Amino acid sequence: MEKEILIKKSDIQRRVRHMAINIALEHTASKNSLPLVAVCVLNGGFMLFNDLIRCLRKLNVDVEVDFIRIKSYNGQDNSAGPIIIKDFEVDLKGKRVYIIDDMCESGTTLMEAIQMASSRVPNDIKVVTMVERENGKHLSDHVGFIIATDQWLVGYGLDNNQLDRTLEDIYTIN
């Protein structure tokens, strides 16, 4: 399969810093004295999550971290629906929760994550993604890039059958 760069690492890093600044300002304005909870949706969200929480730390924002895993895809097939593999461990009650994933496309995974978090009575829930498709669901409160292509994407957490997640740029594959 041939790969073509869609979004360069430098552009990704610039957007992550911008999102971190906006999240820090939003959290400060909320007057919530509890640390925000950054929740990584595994596997895809790990690169954005890592970069984002490091930026938040540099901005002196206290962050609790948690990881959930909701499997929506088997290869490139998402027809089976979401399966919860790993649930929340951190107490979310009264806290501002940021659910961080690689992409919002159909919204199935993120809707499941929002529902899971809501049942734990947080103060607020926000969704952070690196990519949303122009013609897909728009659930993200903070999004790195809205893209027009329907091509399969890899890199920066996005995968093709578990491969190419660790590429630092985002590519389309043919």
Side-chain angles (χ1 to χ4, degrees), residues 102-134:
D102 54 0
M103 176 183 224
C104 181
E105 191 166 15
S106 69
T108 304
T109 301
L110 288 169
M111 288 301 293
E112 186 70 28
I114 291 166
Q115 184 176 350
M116 289 166 58
S118 292
S119 70
R120 287 156 177 84
V121 198
N123 175 265
D124 198 11
I125 300 170
K126 301 286 185 179
V127 173
V128 183
T129 59
M130 181 49 59
V131 178
E132 277 189 347
R133 292 197 190 271
E134 208 172 63

Side-chain angles (χ1 to χ4, degrees), residues 33-50:
S33 62
L34 298 172
L36 69 81
V37 180
V39 178
C40 178
V41 180
L42 296 170
N43 290 339
F46 82 100
M47 288 185 78
L48 173 57
F49 176 82
N50 184 51

Side-chain angles (χ1 to χ4, degrees), residues 58-107:
K58 288 177 185 173
L59 295 167
N60 296 313
V61 176
D62 288 329
V63 179
E64 278 186 272
V65 300
D66 203 356
F67 301 87
I68 60 173
R69 182 151 188 231
I70 304 169
K71 189 170 179 144
S72 294
Y73 279 88
N74 185 10
Q76 293 185 5
D77 177 22
N78 69 347
S79 61
I83 300 166
I84 299 167
I85 309 281
K86 184 190 176 308
D87 207 337
F88 292 97
E89 294 178 17
V90 170
D91 180 14
L92 305 181
K93 188 173 184 177
K95 297 175 183 172
R96 296 178 55 78
V97 176
Y98 288 82
I99 298 171
I100 302 165
D101 203 357
D102 54 0
M103 176 183 224
C104 181
E105 191 166 15
S106 69

Side-chain angles (χ1 to χ4, degrees), residues 4 13 15-16 24 27 29 36 39 44-45 50 70-71 76 87 107 117 121 132 137 140 149 152 154 160-162 164:
E4 185 176 323
Q13 294 307 312
R15 287 297 297 151
V16 170
H27 185 64
L36 69 81
V39 178
N50 184 51
I70 304 169
K71 189 170 179 144
Q76 293 185 5
D87 207 337
V121 198
E132 277 189 347
K137 291 272 188 190
S140 303
T149 183
W152 196 259
V154 296
N160 185 28
N161 292 314
Q162 302 302 325
D164 295 330

